Amino acid sequence: MMSRWSDSEAQDFVGRYAAQGVNEDLALRTYTTRLLGSDPRLVLHGGGNTSVKTGAKDMLGEDVEVICVKGSGWDMGNIEPAGLPAVRLAELRRQRINLLDSTAPNPSVETLLHAFLPHKFIDHTHSTAVLALTDQPGGEAVVREVYGDRVAYVPYTIPGFALAKSVADVFDRDPKVEGLVLLQHGIFTVGDSAKQAYERMIEFVTMAEDRLSRQRKPRAQAALPKHVARVADIAPILRGAVALERNAMAGTVKRQILCFRTSPAILDYVNGAELARYAGQGVVTPDHTIRTKNWPLIVPAPDAHKLDDWKAGVREAVDAFVARYHDYFARNNARAEPRKKELDPLPRVVLVPGVGLFGLGATAKDAAIAADIAENTVEVITDAEAIGQYRCISEAHMFDVEYWSLEQAKLGKSNEKALSRQVCVITGGGSGIGAATAKAMAAEGAEVAILDRDHDMAVKAAKAVHKHALAIQCDVTDPAAVRAAFDKVVEAFGGVDIVVSNAGAAWQGNIGAVEDEVLRKSFELNFFAHQSVAQAAVRIMRAQGTYGCLLFNTSKQAVNPGKDFGPYGLPKAATLFLVRQYALDHGKDGIRANAVNADRIRSGLLTDEMVAARSKARGVSEDQYMSGNLLGREVYASEVAEAFVYLAHAEKTTAAVITVDGGNIEAALR
């Protein structure tokens, strides 16, 4: 591991923050905290912390001695000085009321530890290399061999006052040490300057890496099926198996979003002959338990030709995982004071031999965090097993951390939105109604995948939603392209719950004179493409077994044809009946099918040229054409999007058509 300290960068931080009234100590503390936090081999998703002891002025303008400690909830990789709240050293035990800024985040749960050590700068990470050495039956002996008397060694203790006192006692016995190794937890380094503490961390981690590179033994591999199933075929099955049914009568479930990862290192790990032994031990550092549970779900290797058998095996594995979690909770809660309320018993990581691993979560972000930690776990356990045998903290210790209120607080409390945990695919999502619908679905909590023939437009629309939105180039008139696009959605999120089949184009012409080629092109896009999209979605929804929702943009032309607009209206009319057929045939699967009949919405379909042509065909001005409805108002794409969102919410509505046209009595449906 190489030091990334740069004198010029350090001075840039000092200069940048001086203008904000931040002193040099805190500016340099921010700089090295970012250096540590941007390396996943050291710090991952809120883990680790840093501090600096310095001077500051309180709210009365008086000089006080403080310790600035990384605040709970801040990511070290992009931390700002505000993420290192200042706490009075003299009165630290009173913690929260001693924050100089009452709006600042809570300091780290390890604030007392930082305060009890006398050093100016203190760095703490969960280095994968150090954990691989300490997570052994004889871990202390291994690290003593590496570091000798340069560091002090602290037995595992849950973070808080007990750990802080234990560390202080160890340091008092040997005040010349340059750091501390907290067995089965992480490593601390100290220094008189930010650079010294940081570079000691890099040096000690490098020493651990060097030890791990020697005397490694290979891992025995298990036998796999000759034909291992694809991710796109197994993810929906997994996703359905780990969903929690809320109300069977209402047809509602608590779904999970999945994040898939694979690599040669991951495959070597999940294909190991002793996977159940080493992967089932527990977390590599206690900070991970709130994100990943204490052990992963391990399922059989999927045979591509025996997916029904594999599905049954997955269900059995999930049932066994849940039963194990219930037993674990009951055992440990019997000694807890006060008694705890059991968290949901579902896994957060799934290991699939022959395939890779999945992170699970309420959102794509949560799933990605679980997957990141799972990859980190793979690295630590692989290294630990290569030089010895992996052994983590005890079950009792894992329970104490998992159900510790200060740890759970790191996850934050928020009410889930109505479409949270659902994946929504929108075709023709690069502009107009599709882009507006993508924003509206995301605002309700859904994960969004935007399909469009124009990839640049899809990317632009996805960026307008949020960073986890997916953009896929897809010509929906090509069934193979549609299948491939849905496979990509499944690989990204684990499945599909809502589909807005919106892509379309408006061909015009007198029906008695129009060329067959024009009519056939219109049917390919405005009817058959809807069928291809719906078929691809239903295949996934049925594999999940967690219901689903098909939504179609059918247009008022489906029931109220316009003059010289037959090439567009005829396939739209067929699509209206396609909606009803899906409702009829797949209601038994809990899959709803509904439509929106919109009219005169400015979009990629209804262009300025099209508005001019349709206005001329009806003998009215363009303004009159756009507001030619009972309300006399133009209808916008965002209002059509609201109708799609309503239908996504309407869990007891199927075979319905909503008109969004400002009022057109000829197109009204009962």
Side-chain angles (χ1 to χ4, degrees):
M1 180 169 285
M2 300 294 292
S3 170
R4 293 188 291 122
W5 173 278
S6 163
D7 288 338
S8 61
E9 286 183 359
Q11 288 308 305
D12 285 345
F13 269 71
V14 172
R16 179 193 316 170
Y17 290 119
Q20 301 174 23
V22 174
N23 70 23
E24 181 174 330
D25 287 343
L26 186 52
L28 292 174
R29 175 71 289 171
T30 302
Y31 172 55
T32 54
T33 300
R34 288 192 184 186
L35 292 180
L36 295 170
S38 60
D39 191 332
R41 295 170 297 172
L42 298 175
V43 173
L44 207 59
H45 297 297
N49 40 71
T50 59
S51 70
V52 61
K53 297 177 181 72
T54 188
K57 291 187 181 297
D58 65 13
M59 298 179 70
L60 299 176
E62 297 180 358
D63 292 327
V64 292
E65 186 182 8
V66 299
I67 181 171
C68 298
V69 188
K70 193 211 84 167
S72 182
W74 276 83
D75 188 326
M76 286 171 61
N78 57 18
I79 200 165
E80 294 287 341
L84 291 147
V87 185
R88 295 175 187 269
L89 270 173
E91 302 167 274
L92 187 58
R93 288 181 176 83
R94 296 176 62 194
Q95 290 226 8
R96 182 66 192 179
I97 61 172
N98 290 296
L99 286 174
L100 296 190
D101 180 355
S102 61
T103 66
N106 283 317
S108 164
V109 296
E110 287 165 346
T111 296
L112 289 174
L113 190 158
H114 286 263
F116 287 0
L117 293 174
H119 308 85
K120 187 176 182 68
F121 287 88
I122 301 174
D123 294 350
H124 171 44
T125 74
H126 300 146
S127 159
T128 57
V130 174
L131 287 170
L133 297 180
T134 68
D135 284 359
Q136 305 270 347
E140 182 174 347
V142 177
V143 287
R144 282 187 180 276
E145 171 197 331
V146 173
Y147 300 122
D149 59 4
R150 291 186 65 185
V151 304
Y153 305 92
V154 184
Y156 175 79
T157 307
I158 191 170
F161 181 78
L163 176 60
K165 187 174 185 303
S166 178
V167 166
D169 291 344
V170 168
F171 175 78
D172 287 344
R173 291 194 294 271
D174 190 1
K176 295 181 180 179
V177 295
E178 302 166 51
L180 304 106
V181 171
L182 277 59
L183 301 176
Q184 300 174 308
H185 180 156
I187 181 171
F188 280 79
T189 54
V190 299
D192 296 326
S193 69
K195 182 178 182 180
Q196 185 181 47
Y198 167 73
E199 294 200 327
R200 279 177 172 170
M201 179 66 71
I202 300 304
E203 180 187 2
F204 286 155
V205 171
T206 301
M207 292 169 69
E209 291 173 341
D210 289 344
R211 172 61 185 90
L212 291 169
S213 69
R214 303 193 305 271
Q215 302 171 325
R216 294 176 71 89
K217 60 181 187 289
R219 174 185 284 127
Q221 300 289 286
L224 296 173
K226 184 176 181 181
H227 300 286
V228 176
R230 302 182 315 143
V231 174
D233 292 329
I234 68 168
I237 295 172
L238 279 176
R239 188 164 181 250
V242 297
L244 184 65
E245 194 161 57
R246 282 175 171 156
N247 187 325
M249 294 297 292
T252 58
V253 292
K254 185 177 182 179
R255 302 171 176 89
Q256 303 264 39
I257 304 300
L258 274 57
C259 178
F260 175 67
R261 302 286 174 83
T262 195
S263 68
I266 291 173
L267 288 174
D268 177 76
Y269 182 86
V270 300
N271 296 345
E274 297 185 80
L275 175 64
R277 175 187 62 77
Y278 54 74
Q281 290 277 322
V283 290
V284 300
T285 185
D287 277 37
H288 290 174
T289 186
I290 60 170
R291 296 286 191 178
T292 64
K293 297 292 187 182
N294 294 316
W295 58 86
L297 168 68
I298 302 173
V299 300
D303 189 323
H305 302 307
K306 298 179 180 179
L307 282 181
D308 286 343
D309 292 344
W310 186 75
K311 183 175 184 177
V314 169
R315 294 284 180 178
E316 290 177 6
V318 172
D319 289 345
F321 183 98
V322 171
R324 179 185 177 185
Y325 190 86
H326 287 324
D327 289 345
Y328 149 83
F329 177 79
R331 248 189 333 269
N332 289 280
N333 197 41
R335 62 176 174 78
E337 289 294 340
R339 294 290 190 266
K340 310 297 183 182
K341 180 180 179 181
E342 186 176 7
L343 300 170
D344 86 68
L346 296 173
R348 296 295 186 271
V349 175
V350 182
L351 305 182
V352 188
V355 180
L357 63 83
F358 293 86
L360 283 62
T363 66
K365 178 182 178 181
D366 292 336
I369 289 173
D372 286 345
I373 293 174
E375 283 198 79
N376 180 276
T377 299
V378 166
E379 183 176 352
V380 172
I381 296 181
T382 294
D383 282 341
E385 289 280 311
I387 67 165
Q389 189 173 81
Y390 174 66
R391 183 76 55 81
C392 65
I393 60 175
S394 69
E395 177 187 279
H397 284 142
M398 286 188 281
F399 178 88
D400 291 343
V401 174
E402 182 181 5
Y403 281 87
W404 189 17
S405 60
L406 290 178
E407 282 293 305
Q408 286 295 324
K410 292 180 181 180
L411 299 178
K413 297 294 183 182
S414 61
N415 294 323
E416 291 188 357
K417 296 179 180 178
L419 299 182
S420 291
R421 301 175 178 270
Q422 299 197 52
V423 178
C424 178
V425 178
I426 301 153
T427 70
S431 62
I433 292 171
T437 301
K439 286 185 178 180
M441 291 290 184
E444 290 294 297
E447 306 298 336
V448 171
I450 294 172
L451 277 56
D452 201 285
R453 185 176 59 181
D454 186 326
H455 186 250
D456 290 342
M457 292 295 290
V459 170
K460 181 179 178 180
K463 287 181 177 178
V465 174
H466 54 61
K467 69 177 183 178
H468 292 288
L470 188 65
I472 302 173
Q473 184 176 22
C474 180
D475 179 353
V476 291
T477 65
D478 179 354
V482 170
R483 175 71 178 251
F486 272 81
D487 283 351
K488 289 179 181 177
V489 175
V490 170
E491 290 166 3
F493 299 123
V496 173
D497 306 295
I498 304 165
V499 170
V500 181
S501 191
N502 166 73
W507 279 270
Q508 301 181 72
N510 182 285
I511 198 62
V514 69
E515 294 180 359
D516 281 354
E517 182 182 1
V518 172
L519 193 58
R520 291 181 187 278
K521 282 185 177 180
S522 185
F523 263 92
E524 285 295 333
L525 179 56
N526 294 313
F527 173 75
F528 285 109
H530 289 294
Q531 165 65 351
S532 295
V533 167
Q535 274 192 333
V538 165
R539 173 180 59 85
I540 296 166
M541 291 173 181
R542 293 186 70 193
Q544 292 172 160
T546 53
Y547 322 119
C549 178
L550 302 174
L551 302 173
F552 299 80
N553 187 343
T554 55
S555 170
K556 77 93 187 179
Q557 292 292 327
V559 292
N560 178 216
K563 181 181 178 183
D564 295 334
F565 221 12
Y568 177 63
L570 288 170
K572 284 295 188 179
T575 298
L576 178 62
F577 279 83
L578 183 71
V579 175
R580 293 174 173 174
Q581 197 67 49
Y582 269 99
L584 181 63
D585 289 349
H586 291 285
K588 66 181 184 297
D589 299 313
I591 298 173
R592 297 175 286 121
N594 297 296
V596 172
N597 277 357
D599 189 29
R600 303 182 196 182
I601 313 298
R602 295 183 191 272
S603 65
L605 185 151
L606 189 58
T607 61
D608 291 343
E609 292 78 10
M610 178 70 72
V611 170
R614 297 312 303 156
S615 301
K616 183 177 180 181
R618 290 178 179 266
V620 297
S621 70
E622 292 183 14
D623 286 344
Q624 288 173 324
Y625 175 73
M626 293 305 295
S627 60
N629 52 54
L630 297 179
L631 298 177
R633 302 171 188 167
E634 183 174 346
V635 183
Y636 298 100
S638 60
E639 292 162 327
V640 182
E642 290 173 3
F644 280 125
V645 169
Y646 166 76
L647 289 170
H649 287 309
E651 294 180 345
K652 297 297 180 63
T653 299
T654 192
V657 181
I658 294 180
T659 56
V660 185
D661 57 11
N664 179 350
I665 201 65
E666 290 84 359
L669 298 168
R670 73 175 182 86

